[in-house]
Amino acid sequence: MTHPVDQVPPARQLAAFGLQHVLAMYAGAVAVPLIVGGAMKLSPADLAYLITADLLVCGIATLIQCVGVWRFGIRLPIVQGCTFAAVSPMVLIGTTGGGLPAIYGAVIVAGLAMMLLAPVFGRLLRFFPPLVTGTVILVIGVSLLPVAGNWVAGGAGSKDFGEPKNIGLAAFVLVVVLAVQRFAPAFLSRIAVLVGIVVGMAVAIPTGFTDFGGVGDADWVGISTPFHFGAPEFHGAAIVSMLVVALVSMTETTGDFIAVGEITERPVTPRALGDGLRADGFSTLLGGVFNTFPYTAFAQNVGLVGMTRVRSRWVVATAGGILVLLGLLPKLGAVVAAIPAPVLGGAGLVMFGTVAASGLRTLAKVDFQGNHNLTIVAVSVAIGVLPVGVPDIYTQFPDWFQTIMDSGISAGCLTAITLNLLFNHLPQKGSSPEGSAAEPVGLPGSRVENAVEKAGEQRV
């Protein structure tokens, strides 16, 4: 039988499911070019160009990741988008270190480095047992919830942030999503997020939550050309900071890949992980050429896969095709951009909460009796949530440290990996001269526990 990941739904369902993924990630996709371009005080025309270029490469990167070309692409339902881990370094490079050409030079080098390091990361998969993956997925979901909270309140920086009308609209969309998922026929329940957004828009337009003025001003056709802002420049400091971002991005992406593998019931193999990260690097290289930024897997779409239980990679490949169209047809992109933040917030609460719940489901497979696994989860979640709850906690630290630790996902992931190595892979107290622990430690089914049990059987 064909695995659900490889099944191709009918065309009508492909379009609906694919559009749902686009709506779930659109706000996050355009946020990075808006933040970077705004910090560099680019003109509205240049900002619009950055956004269309970003959407185009998002679509191409998503297609490569889902469909796969030779050893590029993990062939799972993964949506690609610009990583937020690169925002601070790129703003610093762009405002003080050479402008957009210096950013793109550093991005190109980072993309090449990611492609070279992909096989190395693939061999590290054994350090991601259910204890680590469940913790990382839980941290991903919890880290995304403040994003949904900002949308619910009207969008960070909006003039009417926190007004009851915004929260009311988000609550209405949330109720619609839940009602459709509970009471609607099977097909509609799988596009509950899309239905909620459409119904929310139907309410938002007549009540003045949004306007389509930007649609009339947008061009019908726009094509991103290589090196539109000038030939790339290669500055040492900029390259070093972007290489740190590349390592953080690869760590986050690994967590997202494993999460999707858990949800779709197609576990990620070392080779598949290397192929996915290699595609990430190629997409980042492509971003440097076509005037955009480093790419990574989008965690919000991981939640959508878990919530809808639609596991086909061809659905997300369709989303990639839609993103390519949005990148080539700015007017369509302007229509999607008109969706008010509270509408996205109501749907986001369900999606991001689903990611966290998926982490808990994975952790349910872990044995917490007679070992230190509970401590590993507790400390990793705490470290991961720390920059989410206190965003300015690391402002007095060096830039490279902030790049790593300001992302709750990378902070929690690195902590979980380190603590798992410390407690479950290094020799324990009371170990025998041969290095085997006196009593079994580690995770059920982990290589450590199996080795300890085997050694014990041989001694008996």
Side-chain angles (χ1 to χ4, degrees):
M1 293 180 62
T2 304
H3 193 281
V5 168
D6 299 318
Q7 291 177 354
V8 182
R12 177 173 60 93
Q13 295 184 16
L14 275 175
F17 293 149
L19 179 60
Q20 186 171 235
H21 273 282
V22 171
L23 296 178
M25 61 81 66
Y26 189 89
V30 302
V32 173
L34 281 175
I35 294 170
V36 175
M40 296 179 63
K41 296 180 170 55
L42 298 182
S43 66
D46 285 342
L47 272 177
Y49 193 92
L50 282 182
I51 291 172
T52 54
D54 175 36
L55 293 173
L56 175 64
V57 180
C58 272
I60 295 172
T62 300
L63 284 168
I64 294 173
Q65 202 67 268
C66 295
V67 178
V69 179
W70 187 55
R71 295 296 301 277
F72 292 82
I74 196 169
R75 294 168 174 83
L76 284 174
I78 294 288
V79 175
Q80 296 284 104
C82 286
T83 174
F84 283 87
V87 170
S88 296
M90 289 192 301
V91 168
L92 188 63
I93 296 167
T95 54
T96 63
L100 286 173
I103 292 176
Y104 294 138
V107 169
I108 289 172
V109 174
L112 290 171
M114 291 169 71
M115 293 171 66
L116 293 174
L117 289 173
V120 177
F121 262 75
R123 288 194 289 270
L124 297 178
L125 192 62
R126 65 192 183 93
F127 297 115
F128 288 84
L131 174 67
V132 174
T133 59
T135 303
V136 171
I137 298 168
L138 176 59
V139 171
I140 290 173
V142 174
S143 298
L144 288 171
L145 286 174
V147 176
N150 281 323
W151 289 347
V152 167
S158 62
K159 296 180 180 178
D160 59 350
F161 186 85
E163 288 193 6
K165 65 175 185 177
N166 292 334
I167 298 172
L169 178 59
F172 170 73
V173 172
L174 175 60
V175 170
V176 171
V177 171
L178 295 176
V180 171
Q181 196 170 20
R182 174 63 181 85
F183 299 108
F187 170 69
L188 282 180
S189 69
R190 291 182 175 181
I191 56 170
V193 170
L194 177 60
V195 173
I197 291 174
V198 170
V199 173
M201 280 291 289
V203 173
I205 293 173
T207 52
F209 275 91
T210 187
D211 67 83
F212 291 91
V215 177
D217 299 333
D219 296 328
W220 278 105
V221 179
I223 300 176
S224 179
T225 55
F227 308 124
H228 174 80
F229 295 99
E233 299 177 4
F234 301 94
H235 297 215
I239 290 172
V240 170
S241 64
M242 205 55 65
L243 288 175
V244 174
V245 169
L247 292 174
V248 173
S249 176
M250 293 177 80
T251 304
E252 291 186 7
T253 301
T254 299
D256 290 329
F257 285 167
I258 294 172
V260 172
E262 292 274 346
I263 292 170
T264 59
E265 298 179 356
R266 174 177 277 182
V268 176
T269 63
R271 172 170 173 155
L273 176 59
D275 292 348
L277 293 174
R278 191 177 292 109
D280 247 21
F282 178 75
S283 301
T284 297
L285 171 64
L286 205 62
V289 173
F290 283 92
N291 320 292
T292 180
F293 308 114
Y295 283 84
T296 187
F298 258 27
Q300 46 263 57
N301 295 86
V302 175
L304 187 57
V305 172
M307 175 189 162
T308 61
R309 299 184 298 280
V310 177
R311 296 177 280 177
S312 172
R313 60 191 172 103
W314 299 104
V315 165
V316 179
T318 303
I322 295 173
L323 286 169
V324 170
L325 284 178
L326 293 177
L328 297 175
L329 304 174
K331 200 171 284 291
L332 283 179
V335 172
V336 178
I339 299 174
V343 172
L344 295 174
L349 288 174
V350 184
M351 293 187 299
F352 303 161
T354 301
V355 177
S358 298
L360 293 176
R361 182 176 61 186
T362 302
L363 287 173
K365 306 172 185 176
V366 177
D367 181 15
F368 290 98
Q369 299 296 322
N371 52 43
H372 303 285
N373 290 342
L374 191 63
T375 301
I376 296 173
V377 174
V379 175
S380 302
V381 172
I383 297 296
V385 172
L386 201 57
V388 178
V390 190
D392 299 327
I393 189 170
Y394 299 122
T395 53
Q396 303 301 318
F397 285 77
D399 291 338
W400 65 267
F401 186 88
Q402 293 184 50
T403 300
I404 297 172
M405 299 302 291
D406 272 348
S407 167
I409 298 172
S410 63
C413 185
L414 291 173
T415 304
I417 294 171
T418 303
L419 293 181
N420 180 55
L421 288 173
L422 176 64
F423 286 107
N424 291 332
H425 286 263
L426 295 180
Q428 304 292 308
K429 291 180 180 179
S431 60
S432 66
E434 291 80 8
S436 297
E439 53 182 64
V441 294
L443 300 176
S446 71
R447 297 187 178 191
V448 176
E449 182 174 324
N450 291 339
V452 171
E453 289 179 352
K454 185 175 180 181
E457 290 171 0
Q458 289 173 349
R459 286 197 298 269
V460 174

PDB file of all heavy atoms in Angstrom, residues 274-308:
ATOM      1  N   GLY A 274      19.938  14.141   6.024  1.00  0.00           N
ATOM      2  CA  GLY A 274      20.979  14.795   5.239  1.00  0.00           C
ATOM      3  C   GLY A 274      20.431  15.389   3.950  1.00  0.00           C
ATOM      4  O   GLY A 274      20.796  16.511   3.565  1.00  0.00           O
ATOM      5  N   ASP A 275      19.525  14.660   3.280  1.00  0.00           N
ATOM      6  CA  ASP A 275      18.923  15.172   2.043  1.00  0.00           C
ATOM      7  C   ASP A 275      18.100  16.427   2.310  1.00  0.00           C
ATOM      8  O   ASP A 275      18.119  17.381   1.524  1.00  0.00           O
ATOM      9  CB  ASP A 275      18.035  14.101   1.410  1.00  0.00           C
ATOM     10  CG  ASP A 275      18.838  12.921   0.886  1.00  0.00           C
ATOM     11  OD1 ASP A 275      20.082  13.040   0.814  1.00  0.00           O
ATOM     12  OD2 ASP A 275      18.227  11.888   0.558  1.00  0.00           O
ATOM     13  N   GLY A 276      17.360  16.423   3.434  1.00  0.00           N
ATOM     14  CA  GLY A 276      16.542  17.592   3.764  1.00  0.00           C
ATOM     15  C   GLY A 276      17.387  18.807   4.090  1.00  0.00           C
ATOM     16  O   GLY A 276      17.101  19.931   3.647  1.00  0.00           O
ATOM     17  N   LEU A 277      18.450  18.599   4.857  1.00  0.00           N
ATOM     18  CA  LEU A 277      19.325  19.716   5.214  1.00  0.00           C
ATOM     19  C   LEU A 277      20.102  20.213   4.003  1.00  0.00           C
ATOM     20  O   LEU A 277      20.394  21.406   3.880  1.00  0.00           O
ATOM     21  CB  LEU A 277      20.280  19.293   6.323  1.00  0.00           C
ATOM     22  CG  LEU A 277      19.619  19.008   7.678  1.00  0.00           C
ATOM     23  CD1 LEU A 277      20.635  18.457   8.668  1.00  0.00           C
ATOM     24  CD2 LEU A 277      18.977  20.270   8.244  1.00  0.00           C
ATOM     25  N   ARG A 278      20.435  19.305   3.090  1.00  0.00           N
ATOM     26  CA  ARG A 278      21.117  19.718   1.855  1.00  0.00           C
ATOM     27  C   ARG A 278      20.189  20.619   1.030  1.00  0.00           C
ATOM     28  O   ARG A 278      20.632  21.619   0.456  1.00  0.00           O
ATOM     29  CB  ARG A 278      21.527  18.485   1.059  1.00  0.00           C
ATOM     30  CG  ARG A 278      22.471  18.799  -0.098  1.00  0.00           C
ATOM     31  CD  ARG A 278      22.904  17.522  -0.812  1.00  0.00           C
ATOM     32  NE  ARG A 278      23.762  16.698   0.029  1.00  0.00           N
ATOM     33  CZ  ARG A 278      23.392  15.555   0.570  1.00  0.00           C
ATOM     34  NH1 ARG A 278      22.162  15.084   0.380  1.00  0.00           N
ATOM     35  NH2 ARG A 278      24.213  14.868   1.320  1.00  0.00           N
ATOM     36  N   ALA A 279      18.905  20.278   0.990  1.00  0.00           N
ATOM     37  CA  ALA A 279      17.939  21.134   0.293  1.00  0.00           C
ATOM     38  C   ALA A 279      17.800  22.485   0.984  1.00  0.00           C
ATOM     39  O   ALA A 279      17.644  23.523   0.324  1.00  0.00           O
ATOM     40  CB  ALA A 279      16.579  20.433   0.225  1.00  0.00           C
ATOM     41  N   ASP A 280      17.856  22.477   2.317  1.00  0.00           N
ATOM     42  CA  ASP A 280      17.846  23.733   3.074  1.00  0.00           C
ATOM     43  C   ASP A 280      19.011  24.633   2.654  1.00  0.00           C
ATOM     44  O   ASP A 280      18.847  25.832   2.450  1.00  0.00           O
ATOM     45  CB  ASP A 280      17.969  23.424   4.573  1.00  0.00           C
ATOM     46  CG  ASP A 280      16.715  23.789   5.338  1.00  0.00           C
ATOM     47  OD1 ASP A 280      15.651  23.902   4.701  1.00  0.00           O
ATOM     48  OD2 ASP A 280      16.796  23.961   6.562  1.00  0.00           O
ATOM     49  N   GLY A 281      20.203  24.026   2.560  1.00  0.00           N
ATOM     50  CA  GLY A 281      21.370  24.795   2.163  1.00  0.00           C
ATOM     51  C   GLY A 281      21.251  25.327   0.748  1.00  0.00           C
ATOM     52  O   GLY A 281      21.611  26.485   0.476  1.00  0.00           O
ATOM     53  N   PHE A 282      20.749  24.493  -0.159  1.00  0.00           N
ATOM     54  CA  PHE A 282      20.579  24.949  -1.542  1.00  0.00           C
ATOM     55  C   PHE A 282      19.577  26.093  -1.622  1.00  0.00           C
ATOM     56  O   PHE A 282      19.785  27.061  -2.360  1.00  0.00           O
ATOM     57  CB  PHE A 282      20.125  23.788  -2.425  1.00  0.00           C
ATOM     58  CG  PHE A 282      19.892  24.181  -3.853  1.00  0.00           C
ATOM     59  CD1 PHE A 282      20.968  24.414  -4.701  1.00  0.00           C
ATOM     60  CD2 PHE A 282      18.604  24.338  -4.351  1.00  0.00           C
ATOM     61  CE1 PHE A 282      20.752  24.794  -6.027  1.00  0.00           C
ATOM     62  CE2 PHE A 282      18.382  24.719  -5.661  1.00  0.00           C
ATOM     63  CZ  PHE A 282      19.463  24.941  -6.514  1.00  0.00           C
ATOM     64  N   SER A 283      18.485  25.989  -0.853  1.00  0.00           N
ATOM     65  CA  SER A 283      17.477  27.056  -0.842  1.00  0.00           C
ATOM     66  C   SER A 283      18.075  28.353  -0.290  1.00  0.00           C
ATOM     67  O   SER A 283      17.774  29.449  -0.779  1.00  0.00           O
ATOM     68  CB  SER A 283      16.272  26.633   0.003  1.00  0.00           C
ATOM     69  OG  SER A 283      15.700  25.449  -0.500  1.00  0.00           O
ATOM     70  N   THR A 284      18.923  28.229   0.738  1.00  0.00           N
ATOM     71  CA  THR A 284      19.575  29.412   1.291  1.00  0.00           C
ATOM     72  C   THR A 284      20.519  30.038   0.262  1.00  0.00           C
ATOM     73  O   THR A 284      20.557  31.265   0.101  1.00  0.00           O
ATOM     74  CB  THR A 284      20.359  29.030   2.564  1.00  0.00           C
ATOM     75  OG1 THR A 284      19.430  28.556   3.547  1.00  0.00           O
ATOM     76  CG2 THR A 284      21.114  30.217   3.132  1.00  0.00           C
ATOM     77  N   LEU A 285      21.275  29.195  -0.453  1.00  0.00           N
ATOM     78  CA  LEU A 285      22.136  29.687  -1.531  1.00  0.00           C
ATOM     79  C   LEU A 285      21.300  30.399  -2.603  1.00  0.00           C
ATOM     80  O   LEU A 285      21.659  31.487  -3.085  1.00  0.00           O
ATOM     81  CB  LEU A 285      22.898  28.512  -2.143  1.00  0.00           C
ATOM     82  CG  LEU A 285      23.693  28.774  -3.426  1.00  0.00           C
ATOM     83  CD1 LEU A 285      24.806  29.771  -3.165  1.00  0.00           C
ATOM     84  CD2 LEU A 285      24.270  27.469  -3.970  1.00  0.00           C
ATOM     85  N   LEU A 286      20.173  29.777  -2.960  1.00  0.00           N
ATOM     86  CA  LEU A 286      19.268  30.381  -3.941  1.00  0.00           C
ATOM     87  C   LEU A 286      18.741  31.724  -3.438  1.00  0.00           C
ATOM     88  O   LEU A 286      18.599  32.681  -4.206  1.00  0.00           O
ATOM     89  CB  LEU A 286      18.100  29.417  -4.198  1.00  0.00           C
ATOM     90  CG  LEU A 286      17.374  29.504  -5.535  1.00  0.00           C
ATOM     91  CD1 LEU A 286      18.323  29.185  -6.680  1.00  0.00           C
ATOM     92  CD2 LEU A 286      16.193  28.537  -5.539  1.00  0.00           C
ATOM     93  N   GLY A 287      18.464  31.796  -2.117  1.00  0.00           N
ATOM     94  CA  GLY A 287      17.992  33.045  -1.539  1.00  0.00           C
ATOM     95  C   GLY A 287      19.008  34.161  -1.683  1.00  0.00           C
ATOM     96  O   GLY A 287      18.662  35.313  -1.976  1.00  0.00           O
ATOM     97  N   GLY A 288      20.307  33.841  -1.486  1.00  0.00           N
ATOM     98  CA  GLY A 288      21.341  34.857  -1.650  1.00  0.00           C
ATOM     99  C   GLY A 288      21.453  35.354  -3.072  1.00  0.00           C
ATOM    100  O   GLY A 288      21.822  36.512  -3.302  1.00  0.00           O
ATOM    101  N   VAL A 289      21.151  34.494  -4.028  1.00  0.00           N
ATOM    102  CA  VAL A 289      21.226  34.888  -5.443  1.00  0.00           C
ATOM    103  C   VAL A 289      19.998  35.697  -5.852  1.00  0.00           C
ATOM    104  O   VAL A 289      20.100  36.691  -6.583  1.00  0.00           O
ATOM    105  CB  VAL A 289      21.373  33.638  -6.342  1.00  0.00           C
ATOM    106  CG1 VAL A 289      21.286  34.015  -7.816  1.00  0.00           C
ATOM    107  CG2 VAL A 289      22.688  32.928  -6.050  1.00  0.00           C
ATOM    108  N   PHE A 290      18.822  35.312  -5.363  1.00  0.00           N
ATOM    109  CA  PHE A 290      17.569  35.938  -5.782  1.00  0.00           C
ATOM    110  C   PHE A 290      17.023  36.925  -4.742  1.00  0.00           C
ATOM    111  O   PHE A 290      15.809  37.071  -4.584  1.00  0.00           O
ATOM    112  CB  PHE A 290      16.519  34.867  -6.098  1.00  0.00           C
ATOM    113  CG  PHE A 290      16.738  34.202  -7.423  1.00  0.00           C
ATOM    114  CD1 PHE A 290      17.487  33.041  -7.511  1.00  0.00           C
ATOM    115  CD2 PHE A 290      16.229  34.750  -8.589  1.00  0.00           C
ATOM    116  CE1 PHE A 290      17.708  32.429  -8.720  1.00  0.00           C
ATOM    117  CE2 PHE A 290      16.433  34.140  -9.813  1.00  0.00           C
ATOM    118  CZ  PHE A 290      17.184  32.978  -9.893  1.00  0.00           C
ATOM    119  N   ASN A 291      17.913  37.590  -4.023  1.00  0.00           N
ATOM    120  CA  ASN A 291      17.553  38.756  -3.204  1.00  0.00           C
ATOM    121  C   ASN A 291      16.657  38.435  -2.016  1.00  0.00           C
ATOM    122  O   ASN A 291      15.736  39.193  -1.692  1.00  0.00           O
ATOM    123  CB  ASN A 291      16.862  39.825  -4.073  1.00  0.00           C
ATOM    124  CG  ASN A 291      17.498  39.983  -5.436  1.00  0.00           C
ATOM    125  OD1 ASN A 291      18.626  40.449  -5.537  1.00  0.00           O
ATOM    126  ND2 ASN A 291      16.815  39.556  -6.479  1.00  0.00           N
ATOM    127  N   THR A 292      16.904  37.314  -1.370  1.00  0.00           N
ATOM    128  CA  THR A 292      16.142  37.006  -0.165  1.00  0.00           C
ATOM    129  C   THR A 292      17.094  36.406   0.875  1.00  0.00           C
ATOM    130  O   THR A 292      18.290  36.688   0.817  1.00  0.00           O
ATOM    131  CB  THR A 292      14.916  36.125  -0.486  1.00  0.00           C
ATOM    132  OG1 THR A 292      14.208  35.840   0.688  1.00  0.00           O
ATOM    133  CG2 THR A 292      15.305  34.848  -1.190  1.00  0.00           C
ATOM    134  N   PHE A 293      16.617  35.564   1.798  1.00  0.00           N
ATOM    135  CA  PHE A 293      17.375  35.303   3.018  1.00  0.00           C
ATOM    136  C   PHE A 293      17.475  33.800   3.305  1.00  0.00           C
ATOM    137  O   PHE A 293      16.955  32.988   2.549  1.00  0.00           O
ATOM    138  CB  PHE A 293      16.710  36.050   4.174  1.00  0.00           C
ATOM    139  CG  PHE A 293      16.493  37.513   3.876  1.00  0.00           C
ATOM    140  CD1 PHE A 293      15.211  38.055   3.763  1.00  0.00           C
ATOM    141  CD2 PHE A 293      17.579  38.345   3.677  1.00  0.00           C
ATOM    142  CE1 PHE A 293      15.024  39.392   3.467  1.00  0.00           C
ATOM    143  CE2 PHE A 293      17.405  39.698   3.394  1.00  0.00           C
ATOM    144  CZ  PHE A 293      16.128  40.221   3.283  1.00  0.00           C
ATOM    145  N   PRO A 294      18.135  33.384   4.421  1.00  0.00           N
ATOM    146  CA  PRO A 294      18.271  31.951   4.730  1.00  0.00           C
ATOM    147  C   PRO A 294      16.922  31.282   4.978  1.00  0.00           C
ATOM    148  O   PRO A 294      15.999  31.896   5.523  1.00  0.00           O
ATOM    149  CB  PRO A 294      19.129  31.945   6.007  1.00  0.00           C
ATOM    150  CG  PRO A 294      19.848  33.237   5.990  1.00  0.00           C
ATOM    151  CD  PRO A 294      18.918  34.215   5.349  1.00  0.00           C
ATOM    152  N   TYR A 295      16.840  30.006   4.617  1.00  0.00           N
ATOM    153  CA  TYR A 295      15.573  29.272   4.704  1.00  0.00           C
ATOM    154  C   TYR A 295      15.645  28.116   5.691  1.00  0.00           C
ATOM    155  O   TYR A 295      16.706  27.526   5.915  1.00  0.00           O
ATOM    156  CB  TYR A 295      15.168  28.770   3.312  1.00  0.00           C
ATOM    157  CG  TYR A 295      14.599  29.888   2.477  1.00  0.00           C
ATOM    158  CD1 TYR A 295      15.447  30.739   1.772  1.00  0.00           C
ATOM    159  CD2 TYR A 295      13.235  30.156   2.463  1.00  0.00           C
ATOM    160  CE1 TYR A 295      14.937  31.802   1.053  1.00  0.00           C
ATOM    161  CE2 TYR A 295      12.723  31.217   1.750  1.00  0.00           C
ATOM    162  CZ  TYR A 295      13.580  32.038   1.050  1.00  0.00           C
ATOM    163  OH  TYR A 295      13.067  33.107   0.361  1.00  0.00           O
ATOM    164  N   THR A 296      14.471  27.812   6.240  1.00  0.00           N
ATOM    165  CA  THR A 296      14.342  26.712   7.190  1.00  0.00           C
ATOM    166  C   THR A 296      12.922  26.159   7.098  1.00  0.00           C
ATOM    167  O   THR A 296      12.060  26.736   6.420  1.00  0.00           O
ATOM    168  CB  THR A 296      14.638  27.203   8.621  1.00  0.00           C
ATOM    169  OG1 THR A 296      14.665  26.080   9.513  1.00  0.00           O
ATOM    170  CG2 THR A 296      13.567  28.164   9.110  1.00  0.00           C
ATOM    171  N   ALA A 297      12.680  25.031   7.767  1.00  0.00           N
ATOM    172  CA  ALA A 297      11.323  24.468   7.816  1.00  0.00           C
ATOM    173  C   ALA A 297      10.453  25.326   8.729  1.00  0.00           C
ATOM    174  O   ALA A 297      10.911  25.781   9.776  1.00  0.00           O
ATOM    175  CB  ALA A 297      11.376  23.035   8.319  1.00  0.00           C
ATOM    176  N   PHE A 298       9.199  25.541   8.338  1.00  0.00           N
ATOM    177  CA  PHE A 298       8.282  26.366   9.125  1.00  0.00           C
ATOM    178  C   PHE A 298       7.498  25.499  10.106  1.00  0.00           C
ATOM    179  O   PHE A 298       6.754  24.598   9.707  1.00  0.00           O
ATOM    180  CB  PHE A 298       7.324  27.118   8.194  1.00  0.00           C
ATOM    181  CG  PHE A 298       7.697  28.564   7.999  1.00  0.00           C
ATOM    182  CD1 PHE A 298       9.014  28.971   8.118  1.00  0.00           C
ATOM    183  CD2 PHE A 298       6.747  29.518   7.700  1.00  0.00           C
ATOM    184  CE1 PHE A 298       9.375  30.301   7.947  1.00  0.00           C
ATOM    185  CE2 PHE A 298       7.087  30.841   7.518  1.00  0.00           C
ATOM    186  CZ  PHE A 298       8.410  31.238   7.637  1.00  0.00           C
ATOM    187  N   ALA A 299       7.679  25.798  11.393  1.00  0.00           N
ATOM    188  CA  ALA A 299       7.069  24.972  12.433  1.00  0.00           C
ATOM    189  C   ALA A 299       5.553  25.101  12.455  1.00  0.00           C
ATOM    190  O   ALA A 299       4.854  24.160  12.846  1.00  0.00           O
ATOM    191  CB  ALA A 299       7.645  25.356  13.793  1.00  0.00           C
ATOM    192  N   GLN A 300       5.005  26.269  12.056  1.00  0.00           N
ATOM    193  CA  GLN A 300       3.551  26.422  12.110  1.00  0.00           C
ATOM    194  C   GLN A 300       2.839  25.428  11.196  1.00  0.00           C
ATOM    195  O   GLN A 300       1.739  24.967  11.502  1.00  0.00           O
ATOM    196  CB  GLN A 300       3.120  27.844  11.764  1.00  0.00           C
ATOM    197  CG  GLN A 300       3.775  28.451  10.552  1.00  0.00           C
ATOM    198  CD  GLN A 300       4.952  29.318  10.920  1.00  0.00           C
ATOM    199  OE1 GLN A 300       5.881  28.862  11.553  1.00  0.00           O
ATOM    200  NE2 GLN A 300       4.919  30.569  10.518  1.00  0.00           N
ATOM    201  N   ASN A 301       3.490  25.063  10.087  1.00  0.00           N
ATOM    202  CA  ASN A 301       2.871  24.097   9.194  1.00  0.00           C
ATOM    203  C   ASN A 301       3.002  22.672   9.710  1.00  0.00           C
ATOM    204  O   ASN A 301       2.214  21.801   9.352  1.00  0.00           O
ATOM    205  CB  ASN A 301       3.480  24.224   7.803  1.00  0.00           C
ATOM    206  CG  ASN A 301       3.161  25.565   7.163  1.00  0.00           C
ATOM    207  OD1 ASN A 301       3.880  26.534   7.381  1.00  0.00           O
ATOM    208  ND2 ASN A 301       2.083  25.637   6.423  1.00  0.00           N
ATOM    209  N   VAL A 302       3.990  22.434  10.569  1.00  0.00           N
ATOM    210  CA  VAL A 302       4.066  21.143  11.255  1.00  0.00           C
ATOM    211  C   VAL A 302       2.809  20.936  12.085  1.00  0.00           C
ATOM    212  O   VAL A 302       2.204  19.859  12.088  1.00  0.00           O
ATOM    213  CB  VAL A 302       5.321  21.082  12.149  1.00  0.00           C
ATOM    214  CG1 VAL A 302       5.336  19.789  12.957  1.00  0.00           C
ATOM    215  CG2 VAL A 302       6.590  21.198  11.311  1.00  0.00           C
ATOM    216  N   GLY A 303       2.391  21.985  12.786  1.00  0.00           N
ATOM    217  CA  GLY A 303       1.159  21.903  13.574  1.00  0.00           C
ATOM    218  C   GLY A 303      -0.058  21.666  12.716  1.00  0.00           C
ATOM    219  O   GLY A 303      -0.985  20.938  13.113  1.00  0.00           O
ATOM    220  N   LEU A 304      -0.091  22.270  11.530  1.00  0.00           N
ATOM    221  CA  LEU A 304      -1.238  22.089  10.639  1.00  0.00           C
ATOM    222  C   LEU A 304      -1.332  20.645  10.149  1.00  0.00           C
ATOM    223  O   LEU A 304      -2.422  20.081  10.044  1.00  0.00           O
ATOM    224  CB  LEU A 304      -1.119  23.055   9.456  1.00  0.00           C
ATOM    225  CG  LEU A 304      -2.313  23.127   8.517  1.00  0.00           C
ATOM    226  CD1 LEU A 304      -3.579  23.511   9.281  1.00  0.00           C
ATOM    227  CD2 LEU A 304      -2.062  24.124   7.399  1.00  0.00           C
ATOM    228  N   VAL A 305      -0.182  20.037   9.860  1.00  0.00           N
ATOM    229  CA  VAL A 305      -0.177  18.626   9.451  1.00  0.00           C
ATOM    230  C   VAL A 305      -0.729  17.756  10.577  1.00  0.00           C
ATOM    231  O   VAL A 305      -1.551  16.852  10.345  1.00  0.00           O
ATOM    232  CB  VAL A 305       1.246  18.174   9.074  1.00  0.00           C
ATOM    233  CG1 VAL A 305       1.289  16.658   8.841  1.00  0.00           C
ATOM    234  CG2 VAL A 305       1.724  18.895   7.829  1.00  0.00           C
ATOM    235  N   GLY A 306      -0.304  18.030  11.810  1.00  0.00           N
ATOM    236  CA  GLY A 306      -0.798  17.241  12.937  1.00  0.00           C
ATOM    237  C   GLY A 306      -2.270  17.447  13.200  1.00  0.00           C
ATOM    238  O   GLY A 306      -2.986  16.509  13.563  1.00  0.00           O
ATOM    239  N   MET A 307      -2.748  18.671  13.017  1.00  0.00           N
ATOM    240  CA  MET A 307      -4.147  18.976  13.314  1.00  0.00           C
ATOM    241  C   MET A 307      -5.090  18.378  12.280  1.00  0.00           C
ATOM    242  O   MET A 307      -6.117  17.799  12.609  1.00  0.00           O
ATOM    243  CB  MET A 307      -4.327  20.491  13.369  1.00  0.00           C
ATOM    244  CG  MET A 307      -5.762  20.930  13.546  1.00  0.00           C
ATOM    245  SD  MET A 307      -5.920  22.707  13.332  1.00  0.00           S
ATOM    246  CE  MET A 307      -7.676  22.812  13.043  1.00  0.00           C
ATOM    247  N   THR A 308      -4.742  18.519  10.989  1.00  0.00           N
ATOM    248  CA  THR A 308      -5.640  18.064   9.928  1.00  0.00           C
ATOM    249  C   THR A 308      -5.494  16.583   9.622  1.00  0.00           C
ATOM    250  O   THR A 308      -6.372  16.002   8.985  1.00  0.00           O
ATOM    251  CB  THR A 308      -5.370  18.852   8.635  1.00  0.00           C
ATOM    252  OG1 THR A 308      -4.011  18.617   8.216  1.00  0.00           O
ATOM    253  CG2 THR A 308      -5.571  20.344   8.857  1.00  0.00           C
TER     254      THR A 308
END
